[in-house]
Amino acid sequence: MSTRDDIVVIGLGGDGRGDDAAGLEVVRRLRGCLSSSVVIVESAGDPAQLVEAWTGARLAVVIDAVSSGAAPGTVHRRTGVEGGPSWHGSSHSFGLSDAVDLGRALGRMPAQLIVIGVEGGDFTIGAPITPPVLSAIDVLVRELEERFRQDSP
């Protein structure tokens, strides 16, 4: 469980399924680069784990790979908790939607929730992360590093 001033960055995904590891890769690159007020979490998308990770946080950022039909590497952003993610097709979006529902029911939502979806192109078992998704990961890591430098408690 987080403290009230924490920022929590949660990467969802599965290793060994190509672009599905996008969220995990973002948080792995951020680990050790941010202040101690930023909690980094890797998750396979278990709703209870997500609720536990963001409870009490002033800001939770959840990053996941998605498949909405947009070009691979497209970055989707959604702020707020109303209705869950605005795209479909993530192998974890059901878990994330469940986590939002569970967090609301228990009164355990972060003060602010940002969901970032990275459009994947290849989710084949054993595939590497594709170049367009790697490029999006690079951009997201730089953006999040900059944001958290400016947004420290």
Side-chain angles (χ1 to χ4, degrees):
M1 191 181 306
S2 305
T3 66
R4 191 172 179 90
D5 290 330
D6 281 341
I7 296 169
V8 180
V9 182
I10 304 168
L12 301 182
D15 287 316
R17 290 194 56 215
D19 293 337
D20 192 46
L24 297 175
E25 185 63 22
V26 170
V27 297
R28 288 171 181 160
R29 291 184 187 188
L30 290 171
R31 185 172 273 125
C33 298
L34 304 175
S35 80
S36 61
S37 68
V38 179
V39 177
I40 302 291
V41 176
E42 292 183 33
S43 176
D46 175 76
Q49 181 189 25
L50 295 173
V51 170
E52 185 65 24
W54 70 40
T55 295
R58 71 179 174 97
L59 171 63
V61 178
V62 180
I63 305 144
D64 194 10
V66 299
S67 180
S68 71
T74 300
V75 176
H76 309 270
R77 290 176 175 83
R78 175 86 184 249
T79 301
V81 296
E82 65 287 339
S86 58
W87 56 86
H88 302 285
S90 165
S91 59
H92 307 282
S93 63
F94 183 69
L96 179 55
S97 294
D98 283 348
V100 169
D101 291 344
L102 180 61
R104 278 192 199 132
L106 297 175
R108 294 182 60 187
M109 291 300 296
Q112 181 181 11
L113 175 64
I114 298 173
V115 179
I116 301 172
V118 179
E119 190 73 30
D122 187 354
F123 296 91
T124 306
I125 293 173
I129 298 174
T130 61
V133 172
L134 285 171
S135 293
I137 289 168
D138 290 340
V139 169
L140 277 173
V141 168
R142 285 192 302 272
E143 286 178 6
L144 292 170
E145 284 177 329
E146 180 62 26
R147 166 140 192 199
F148 298 139
R149 266 195 290 275
Q150 295 174 0
D151 191 24
S152 56

